[in-house]
Amino acid sequence: MILIKNAEIHTITNGILKNASILVENGKIKEIGQEITVEDQVEVIDSAGKMVTPGLIDVHTHLGVYEEIVGPAGADGNELTDPATPQVRALDAINPMERGFVDAIQAGVTTVQVMPGSGNVIGGEMLVIKTFGNIVDEMIVKSPSALKIAFGENPKKVYGGKNKMPASRMGLAAVLRENLVKGQNYLRKLELAEKDPDKAPERDLKLEILAKVLKKEIQVRAHAHRADDIVTAIRIAKEFDLDLTIEHCTEGHKIPEFIKQSGFRVSVGPTMSSRSKIELGDKGWHTLTTLAEHGVPFSITTDHPVVPIDYLITATATAVAHGLDEQLAWEALTINAAKHMKVEDRVGSLEVGKDADLVIWSGHPLYQHQSQVEATMINGQFVYRKS
């Protein structure tokens, strides 16, 4: 057992506890409070003057599938041979020994969602993992966590340049609809086969994942920057009754009430990036503050490696400096991020029974920019301690 005592504990869901302690046992949080009685064999960490938060969560990354330093040899995030590749899995491309995982741990990021890129209309399966380990299968929190789809300039650029559909936003939406209809037809065959096994269709990995999407067994995450692309994503989600999240949501501030009425969650970012393409022309911290004003639940993302993952807390601190409420900012990095991926039963807040993923900070990282991560714990194990 490990006892972290005398800290300012930000539970996220149950307020801030001053001069409090948190007891960890067997990878889980066993107890939180001002007075905890422990046995002699417990390792005690005196964190007087320190701040403890849940481990940070980045809901939208390409960590390990786009490796830094190595260039094209480590670029495994897009299978650009067909605009619809639902059967590919980010799981099979992650290198957990890539440097980005070290950066994540040292920056207090303990859980990430790793996904294919946005070069295809349907990019493939994504998954949620912890950021510590050498075997990706042992790091999994949820797999698959969703299917990646993409709107806007990226698929247009890839396939328009090949003189192949989709070369327009019309074509992009059509490719998506065509594949979802194929999924519906496959699903009907599966339903018929339940009554008559002789009618079972030949197994099709592409259609299997689309059938799960249509049954809402897994979510769909839609890369969409521009307001009109966000609307198209929501239109198609309603047409096929999909469980959708909007990723990036760069122009979400232009249609906040429409997004709120849709009931879908969004992730916002990478706001710290450059305006590298026309879709990012109106990016800014005002997206977050406007969504907050309208009650749209959001998470904050780096889109690593677009913005390095160790800048997740920096991006959030900058958002707070531009008017984002502090509590909403913390929720965007923790419990809202967990809900975005439907893993809030395990991570996202400091509560008894949840995974012991936490960060000890030297000071308040949203206001004191010199604050540093002093220790990062994942599954009850210290995976980083500042020397």
Side-chain angles (χ1 to χ4, degrees), residues 185-217:
N185 294 337
Y186 185 75
L187 189 56
R188 291 191 188 98
K189 291 178 181 179
L190 291 176
E191 291 169 349
L192 289 173
E194 291 178 1
K195 299 178 181 179
D196 185 355
D198 291 335
K199 294 183 178 180
E202 183 177 346
R203 189 176 182 191
D204 188 316
L205 291 179
K206 277 189 172 185
L207 299 180
E208 274 187 14
I209 187 70
L210 292 175
K212 290 179 180 179
V213 163
L214 290 162
K215 291 169 68 177
K216 290 188 175 181
E217 291 180 3

Side-chain angles (χ1 to χ4, degrees), residues 46-75:
D46 191 341
S47 296
K50 313 298 183 185
M51 179 174 169
V52 176
T53 70
L56 307 185
I57 302 172
D58 195 330
V59 301
H60 186 118
T61 80
H62 308 286
L63 189 62
V65 298
Y66 278 110
E67 299 181 49
E68 299 179 78
I69 306 172
V70 297

